Amino acid sequence: MSGNAGLLNDTLAAAKAEGRAALIAYLPAGFPTVDGGIEAIKAALDGGADVVEVGLPHSDPVLDGPVIQTADDIALRGGVRIADVMRTVREAHEATGKPILVMTYWNPIDRYGVERFTAELAEAGGAGCILPDLPVQESAPWREHADKHGLATVFVVAPSSKDARLAEITAVGSGFVYAASLMGVTGTRESVGAQAEDLVRRTRATTDTPVRVGLGVSNAAQAAEVAGFADGVIVGSAFVKRMLDAPDDAAGVEGVRALAADLAKGVRRQA
């Protein structure tokens, strides 16, 4: 079975045709439970997210701040496995028809087997992977299998990336480019920062692939700000925090739905 890279491209193109940025939500699989995580992801999509990134919980998430680290720890203590990640992708996609990516560090894929992972992700209806710590120069084996199974390969660029490095990354990535808005780890912030706009400008000079900005966006005003210069807005920690702060899982799911609706209004302010 082929994956859904085409669905991802079509979804992002449809948002562009509407004159707005796309809204991409991130939530880890297995948090607060596997079933609860699936409900939260479906709520984010129902609330207005165009795409969801499903996080594969990791014991050493170097890109993630304390909020997502806490969620990952809960998921890992709950016994989440890659099979649960695949189930999360499958059920979220089947319920909503929207594109679902997996965001993961390289080590779990390397240990699981690239061919096995890509085949299972495609079979589950996944659209691709975001691989924040896979060096582009070492990515050919992954990209070969991803292409074979119809999966997008999304790489992360940072404000520290030189122009030549940006060109090297964007030449082989697909789906979209994940632009980290600042140097550091994930988390909500008061301001997204001017570095993000400069990074988007420099990245666009190397590619026609859409550029989406993540790290730091937590409310509709910030989403509208980023939507003014980027092709998409990626929100993670704010969704996870809604779940962590809720009195129970049901309230957390409704909090995710409400935040998605608010952020969806934010990205449409540019329309």
Side-chain angles (χ1 to χ4, degrees), residues 174-200:
S174 57
F176 62 90
V177 182
Y178 186 127
S181 66
L182 39 74
M183 299 303 295
V185 297
T186 59
T188 61
R189 290 173 172 83
E190 293 299 317
S191 174
V192 176
Q195 291 183 98
E197 187 168 1
D198 178 66
L199 177 59
V200 169

Side-chain angles (χ1 to χ4, degrees), residues 27 84 106 110 119-120 126 129 133 144 148 151 162 176 186 193 198 211 215 236 239 249 251 255 257-258:
L27 283 160
D84 299 311
W106 179 245
D110 192 38
E120 290 184 6
C129 257
D133 66 340
E144 178 184 350
K148 180 173 74 172
L151 300 170
K162 303 298 184 184
F176 62 90
T186 59
D198 178 66
V211 183
L215 276 66
F239 281 113
D249 291 354
R257 192 188 315 276

Side-chain angles (χ1 to χ4, degrees), residues 11-84:
T11 298
L12 300 179
K16 182 178 181 179
E18 293 176 14
R20 66 174 178 87
L23 174 60
I24 303 174
Y26 168 95
L27 283 160
F31 167 72
T33 63
V34 175
D35 288 341
I38 292 169
E39 291 307 308
I41 288 165
K42 289 177 356 185
L45 291 164
D46 291 342
D50 298 292
V51 180
V52 159
E53 302 170 5
V54 175
L56 195 162
H58 194 273
S59 57
D60 185 25
V62 294
L63 183 69
D64 297 311
V67 171
I68 291 176
Q69 285 184 25
T70 297
D72 278 4
D73 184 58
I74 290 169
L76 291 168
R77 285 191 282 111
V80 70
R81 296 290 183 266
I82 288 179
D84 299 311

Side-chain angles (χ1 to χ4, degrees), residues 123-165:
E123 192 277 329
C129 257
I130 301 166
L131 301 161
D133 66 340
L134 176 62
V136 171
Q137 61 269 27
E138 298 174 16
S139 68
W142 161 267
R143 289 186 283 113
E144 178 184 350
H145 289 290
D147 290 347
K148 180 173 74 172
H149 290 291
L151 300 170
T153 298
V154 178
F155 290 111
V156 178
V157 298
S160 60
S161 302
K162 303 298 184 184
D163 291 351
R165 178 64 172 166

